[in-house]
Amino acid sequence: MEATHLHPKQQACHDCDLLIELPEQLNDNQSLLCPRCKKVQWTQYKHPVDKTVAYSLTALILLVIANAFPFLSFDAQGQTRTITIIQASNELYIQGFYLLAFLVYVCVLLFPAIYLSCLLAITIPTKIGLKPPFAITLGRTLSYLLPWVMTEVFMVGVLVALIKIIELADIVFGVAFWAYIGFVVCFLASSAIASKHQLWTWINHGK
Ligand SMILES: [Zn+2]
């Protein structure tokens, strides 16, 4: 069902499609649940614009740090090897895992960076009381990108791989490793606060 055909005070549940009557306003830290499947539809956070700007900016800075410094160092049989995230995906490409290398570039580095930039392009003007330029395009871009951002999947993959490698080599976690963990936390926080509902509220009505 097209969202544009719905009454503006109604929303289809994200999980079971039940039409939900939207309340005028939620209190701070209050969530709207679907009456049928009890899934959270959106949460009204306190100072959502400020928090989204803070988390998104921090996440972008941590992503730059995560790419500028060594991610992991392996020490096996007297030989030490240090890799960055970009080198790890280059290595996948060299070994013939083209799709995997492409997914790491795009879903782990490129899309999160574009997502955060678009989010800041909406929230910073909203914060200072201006209408964000190209707001509808930015809002749609954010909705399309989010399912393709796989930062936490990458982190879980790295941790699972480490369990196997740790028996074969001594591993030193680089600055980029900790920066990437911080980035994932900040990214998840900003995308949770800037939910679809919150995003379109900013785009249509400002703060
Ligand atoms: Zn539901």
Side-chain angles (χ1 to χ4, degrees):
M1 190 187 289
E2 283 284 325
T4 46
H5 294 162
L6 298 178
H7 187 271
K9 297 271 171 59
Q10 285 180 330
Q11 175 185 297
C13 170
H14 307 317
D15 291 274
C16 73
D17 260 354
L18 178 73
L19 274 187
I20 303 167
E21 293 289 331
L22 297 182
E24 282 295 321
Q25 213 178 348
L26 289 180
N27 295 325
D28 287 343
N29 298 322
Q30 195 178 21
S31 298
L32 177 73
L33 304 184
C34 168
R36 182 159 66 191
C37 70
K38 308 290 178 212
K39 287 278 165 60
V40 176
Q41 301 302 304
W42 100 84
T43 303
Q44 180 63 52
Y45 291 96
K46 208 173 177 182
H47 309 304
V49 182
D50 297 359
K51 282 180 181 163
T52 307
V53 171
Y55 281 126
S56 304
L57 268 179
T58 312
L60 261 185
I61 293 166
L62 288 171
L63 186 61
V64 171
I65 295 172
N67 280 289
F69 291 93
F71 191 68
L72 290 173
S73 295
F74 304 97
D75 199 344
Q77 295 157 356
Q79 284 191 322
T80 305
R81 183 148 185 238
T82 301
I83 55 159
T84 61
I85 297 179
I86 292 282
Q87 281 171 340
S89 44
N90 285 347
E91 196 66 34
L92 286 170
Y93 185 82
I94 291 163
Q95 292 187 11
F97 298 106
Y98 303 120
L99 181 65
L100 208 54
F102 176 77
L103 285 176
V104 172
Y105 279 127
V106 171
C107 301
V108 174
L109 301 173
L110 184 63
F111 282 179
I114 298 174
Y115 180 93
L116 291 168
S117 307
C118 291
L119 195 52
L120 286 169
I122 290 178
T123 47
I124 291 176
T126 306
K127 167 71 188 154
I128 53 179
L130 298 174
K131 197 156 175 57
F134 314 110
I136 292 173
T137 312
L138 289 172
R140 284 196 185 135
T141 309
L142 287 170
S143 301
Y144 290 137
L145 283 181
L146 193 57
W148 291 98
V149 172
M150 298 184 187
T151 54
E152 68 275 33
V153 177
F154 174 73
M155 215 54 233
V156 171
V158 167
L159 292 175
V160 171
L162 280 181
I163 292 169
K164 292 193 170 181
I165 298 168
I166 220 152
E167 293 168 4
L168 308 169
D170 289 332
I171 293 167
V172 178
F173 299 106
V175 172
F177 181 85
W178 303 112
Y180 199 85
I181 290 183
F183 156 74
V184 172
V185 172
C186 291
F187 185 93
L188 292 177
S190 62
S191 59
I193 297 168
S195 62
K196 209 176 233 181
H197 182 272
Q198 179 64 76
L199 212 54
W200 290 101
T201 307
W202 287 330
I203 292 169
N204 293 324
H205 311 289
K207 261 194 263 194

